[in-house]
Amino acid sequence: MYATVITKGSVHKPAEGSSHKPAEGSSHKPAGGSVQKPAEGSVQKPAEGSLHWQIVEDLPAPEGREVHIAVAWAGVNRADLMQRAGHYPPPPGASEVLGLEVSGTVIACGPEANQFSPGDQVCALLAGGGYAERVCVDERQLMPVPRGLSLRDAAALPEVHATAWLNLFMEGALQPGERVLLHAAASGVGTAAIQLCRHFGYPCFVTVGSDDKLERCRALGADAGWNRHQGSFVEAVKAWGEPSLILDPVGASYLADNQRVLAADGRMVVIGFMGGRSAELDFGRLLMKRQRIIGSTLRARPPHAKGEILAQVVKHVWPALESGAIKPLIDADWPIDEAEQAHQHVMANANTGKVLLKVAAPGSGA
C-alpha cells in the first residue's frame, strides 16, 4: 500500500507499474497555480525531512478488536507538524506515519470486532498512520459517518470534536452559567469549540491572529474576541466577563495573562505549548482564587478511554451535526501527494477550520 513518509534525504524512485494516482478534485489551489510534478519515472531527491508518498509494507491481518479502513480523507493537525519536527513522537506501538484522523470504509474486521462491518462508512480517531491508503485501528475509536454528511465532512470531525468535548465538558467540567475563553480559536479545535459553546449555551470569548479570523469566529457564535496582534487580551476579557474555563493550546506565553482573567474556582485546560514550555506561575493568585491548571492530551490515551470520549461525542454532538445545528468547518484540502503544501498552510496559521488530505484509496468510497 501507499503512505506518506518523512524522508531522511534518501533518493526515491517511484515504483514501476504503480496503480495509484494522485487524488483529483482538491478544492484548494495554492497561489501561483498548481504544483509542478517531476516527470514520471524520474529519480528525485527529496529535501531532508520532506513528505513523500510511496509504497510501504502492507498491514497485517486485523487481530482482536482491530478494524481495517480504506482511507478516503485524512485530517491535518498541528500535532502532525510537531511529530515531523521531532517534538511529538507517536506513542509506543503506534504507526510512525503521520495522521491522527481519517474517514473511509471498513474493509476488514478482527475476530473480536462486532461494532462495525465491512462496507460501513466511518470516521476514526488514530494514534498515527492516517496519511495512508489503509489504517488499522481499534473499533472503539471508530464513529459512524453522521447522517447527511459526506466522507469529506466526516474527516473533519474526530480529532476536533473529541478534543473540544473532552476538554470543555469532561476535563473542564463546564457548568450552567459559566463563560469560556478560547485561545487560537480559528483552528479546527477552536472552531469546533465555538460551535459547541454556542449550541449548549456557554458564552465564549476568542483570541485569534487576524481581524478576518475574528469575524469568522463571531459568525460561528463567539460572543466577543481579540486580535492577539493588538497586545494583551486581559482588559478586553475583563470587560467581557471572567471566564470559568480557559481552553489553551498556547502555553507558556499566555500563562500569566490567563491567571489574571481566570475566575475564582476556574479551570485552565492546557492542550498545547505553541507559545513555549516554561513560564513563571503566580502561586499566590493560584491559591487565593482556587485556580486549577489541567494538562490534557488525547493521542496517547488507550482505546477504552478514547472509546468513552467518542461515545459521548456521538451521543451529544452527532445529533447536532445531523440536524445542521453544528457544521464541519473545512478550510481547504489537498491531494495526499501534496501534503507538504497543506502543512505549510497550517504552519503559516492561514487556516480557519480543518485542513484535509484527499487519499481516495481503492474501496474507500471517496
Side-chain angles (χ1 to χ4, degrees), residues 80-104:
D80 301 338
L81 278 63
M82 292 175 61
Q83 178 178 333
R84 183 179 173 187
H87 302 312
Y88 193 27
S95 171
E96 293 188 1
V97 172
L98 302 176
L100 301 180
E101 60 189 334
V102 297
S103 67

Side-chain angles (χ1 to χ4, degrees), residues 7-14 42-46 52 54:
T7 66
K8 304 298 182 183
S10 59
V11 175
H12 170 71
K13 182 176 181 178
S42 64
V43 176
Q44 309 159 53
K45 186 174 183 181
H52 205 66
Q54 66 181 54

Side-chain angles (χ1 to χ4, degrees), residues 65-134:
R65 300 183 70 173
E66 292 176 342
V67 171
H68 284 187
I69 302 169
V71 177
W73 294 85
V76 175
N77 291 279
R78 195 164 288 274
D80 301 338
L81 278 63
M82 292 175 61
Q83 178 178 333
R84 183 179 173 187
H87 302 312
Y88 193 27
S95 171
E96 293 188 1
V97 172
L98 302 176
L100 301 180
E101 60 189 334
V102 297
S103 67
T105 299
V106 174
I107 55 174
C109 299
E112 298 173 22
N114 55 26
Q115 296 180 17
F116 296 91
S117 301
D120 289 346
Q121 292 195 336
V122 296
C123 53
L125 187 68
L126 312 174
Y131 292 16
E133 289 186 304
R134 291 182 290 279

